[in-house]
């Protein structure tokens, strides 16, 4: 039995570093995706290989997954298989061939795309009663527990639950999610991605430190998570200036998500959400301290070239910027960004347009 499944990367329109704080976010799936061709095989061995990572097969008995020290890219698909087994699903031997075009390290969630493509393939082949919501849990636990990256649930939710022409309004505290209309083409708009070429890694960056700081701030404020705080002034009670800044970003970012969702749900012109995106970037830069000179330059270049707003997307410490602009603006924005980067002596960024797309699915 052989089939192929695909799962997309994502950009987050607004709501960064809020998911692991029990807060709100608004991601969209993008056309760039990872495909997984699964071939069921006799025996109890799983083999994984990737077009992007040397094409050599890595094989391990399923019974050995819990104790394997295999590192690198293969840990993502193997972690998903391990999580299915932990939950009591009787999965058999298989070959997993991975291919894709989500840029790695660009803040577009290539790792979650790998996990989710593998998850839907294993689900459909061996455990068809597993729901999409449980798939989100399986892939999230694989990344947290098996890979060791302390991320929130946003990336996996987007890759599995998003639908074309919509953004996913996600409440990480409850798992509640709603599809919000986000048909940019009809409005004469496009979402431009500027990949700064400065890769990041959630497992090795200061991402874990930011999560620890948020947890410390929540304890000091007497709440179980920062997402439980609605009043932005509440964070002023924190005496530690670093914790106060981290908490202020999360609480104000939740408010920005609500503001953007209200505008989109009203069915009005989406252009007014642009300045909200830019305010979000300023908060990520100044209060959460996860931006970089390249990300800041890409935001400035985009807004200077006529974008309605721009912000870094993803965990930060590198990666990409998104810009909301009129259709046909990507060339002008790209030229402006490349000029900024050239003056600074940086490698030219990659610029492309994305549209809100469908989540994980079988393709053949």
């Amino acid at each position: 039995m052989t089939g192929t499944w695909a799962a997309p990367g994502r950009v987050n329109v607004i709501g960064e570093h809020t998911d692991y704080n029990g807060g709100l976010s608004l991601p969209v799936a993008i056309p760039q995706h990872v495909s997984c061709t699964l071939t069921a095989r006799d025996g109890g061995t799983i083999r994984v290989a990737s077009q992007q990572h040397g094409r050599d097969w890595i094989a391990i008995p399923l019974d050995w997954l819990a104790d394997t020290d295999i590192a690198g890219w293969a840990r993502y698909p193997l972690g998903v298989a391990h999580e299915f087994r932990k939950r009591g699903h009787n999965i058999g031997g298989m070959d997993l061939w991975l291919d894709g075009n989500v840029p790695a390290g660009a803040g577009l969630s290539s790792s979650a795309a790998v996990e989710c493509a593998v998850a839907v393939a294993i689900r459909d082949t061996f455990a068809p009663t597993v729901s999409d919501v449980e798939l989100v849990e399986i892939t999230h636990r694989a990344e947290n527990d098996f890979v060791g990256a302390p991320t929130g649930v946003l990336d996996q939710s987007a890759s599995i639950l998003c639908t074309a022409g919509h953004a996913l309004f996600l409440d990480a505290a409850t798992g509640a999610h709603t599809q919000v209309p986000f048909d940019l083409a009809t409005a004469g708009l496009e979402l431009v991605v500027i990949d700064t070429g400065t890769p990041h890694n959630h497992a090795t960056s200061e991402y874990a430190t930011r999560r620890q700081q948020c947890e410390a701030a929540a304890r000091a404020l007497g709440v179980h998570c920062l997402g439980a705080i609605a009043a932005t002034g509440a964070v002023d009670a924190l005496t530690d200036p670093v914790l106060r800044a981290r908490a202020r970003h999360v609480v104000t970012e939740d408010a920005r998500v609500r503001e953007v969702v209200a505008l989109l749900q009203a069915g009005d012109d989406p252009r007014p959400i642009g300045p909200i995106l830019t305010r979000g970037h300023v908060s990520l830069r100044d209060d959460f301290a996860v931006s970089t000179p390249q990300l800041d330059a890409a935001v400035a270049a985009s807004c200077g070239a006529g974008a309605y707003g721009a912000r870094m997307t993803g965990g930060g410490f590198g990666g990409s910027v998104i810009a909301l602009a009129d259709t046909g603006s990507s060339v002008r924005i790209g030229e402006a960004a490349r000029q900024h980067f050239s003056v600074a002596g940086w490698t030219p960024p990659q610029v492309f347009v994305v549209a809100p797309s469908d989540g994980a699915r079988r393709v053949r």
Side-chain angles (χ1 to χ4, degrees):
M1 179 192 302
T2 299
T4 300
W5 290 258
R10 65 95 191 93
V11 295
N12 194 18
V13 178
I14 192 76
E16 215 67 78
H17 286 275
T18 51
D19 56 345
Y20 58 81
N21 284 297
L24 309 173
S25 54
L26 192 70
V28 298
I30 60 177
Q32 289 77 8
H33 64 275
V34 169
S35 66
C36 174
T37 298
L38 184 153
T39 301
R41 60 200 305 270
D42 293 335
T45 296
I46 180 172
R47 299 198 311 164
V48 295
S50 166
Q51 178 70 31
Q52 283 70 45
H53 294 91
R55 307 183 68 178
D56 293 327
W57 289 98
I58 297 172
I60 182 172
L62 288 164
D63 290 341
W64 294 8
L65 282 175
D67 301 314
T68 184
D69 59 358
I70 291 173
W73 72 269
R75 201 153 183 88
Y76 292 90
L78 294 177
V80 173
H82 175 60
E83 189 64 28
F84 269 96
R85 284 171 57 84
K86 276 178 60 179
R87 293 166 180 255
H89 297 292
N90 185 27
I91 66 174
M94 70 188 90
D95 289 345
L96 302 175
W97 172 258
L98 298 168
D99 193 4
N101 60 0
V102 184
L108 305 180
S109 198
S110 59
S111 59
V114 169
E115 293 157 354
C116 294
V118 170
V120 292
I122 292 177
R123 188 267 305 272
D124 290 359
T125 304
F126 297 107
T129 61
V130 171
S131 68
D132 284 347
V133 170
E134 189 176 356
L135 280 187
V136 172
E137 297 171 359
I138 287 170
T139 49
H140 180 228
R141 289 266 59 86
E143 181 148 333
N144 281 190
D145 301 341
F146 199 83
V147 176
T151 58
V153 74
L154 182 155
D155 295 347
Q156 293 83 7
S157 297
S159 190
I160 289 173
L161 300 174
C162 278
T163 61
H166 296 81
L168 184 76
F169 181 30
L170 176 66
D171 183 342
T174 64
H177 54 276
T178 304
Q179 304 291 339
V180 178
F182 198 49
D183 186 355
L184 297 178
T186 298
L189 293 168
E190 63 187 16
L191 203 57
V192 183
V193 175
I194 304 166
D195 176 1
T196 66
T198 50
H200 70 163
N201 185 319
H202 286 331
T204 58
S205 71
E206 291 186 42
Y207 190 101
T209 301
R210 294 298 180 276
R211 184 164 186 161
Q212 292 162 3
Q213 291 168 337
C214 290
E215 291 167 352
R219 287 194 299 271
L221 291 168
V223 293
H224 67 283
C225 65
L226 292 176
I229 299 173
T232 56
V235 305
D236 293 337
L238 291 165
T239 57
D240 184 308
V242 172
L243 297 187
R244 185 166 61 248
R246 304 296 186 256
R248 181 168 54 238
H249 165 71
V250 174
V251 175
T252 58
E253 186 80 342
D254 273 350
R256 285 185 285 272
V257 175
R258 293 188 186 94
E259 190 176 358
V260 169
V261 168
L263 286 169
L264 295 178
Q265 288 180 330
D268 298 332
D269 184 347
R271 287 168 178 81
I273 75 171
I276 306 172
L277 306 190
T278 307
R279 294 204 312 267
H281 180 78
V282 171
S283 180
L284 287 159
R285 182 192 67 198
D286 297 346
D287 280 343
F288 221 67
V290 294
S291 190
T292 66
Q294 290 90 341
L295 291 168
D296 295 340
V299 168
S302 299
C303 293
Y308 294 100
R311 61 179 289 274
M312 55 154 278
T313 187
F317 310 105
S320 297
V321 159
I322 57 169
L324 182 70
D326 289 327
T327 300
S329 298
S330 62
V331 172
R332 182 173 67 251
I333 289 172
E335 289 173 349
R338 282 186 283 271
Q339 182 175 0
H340 275 65
F341 277 51
S342 176
V343 168
W346 300 327
T347 301
Q350 299 298 311
V351 180
F352 51 94
V353 175
V354 298
S357 303
D358 281 324
R361 62 207 180 276
R362 184 167 186 167
V363 294
R364 62 178 181 271

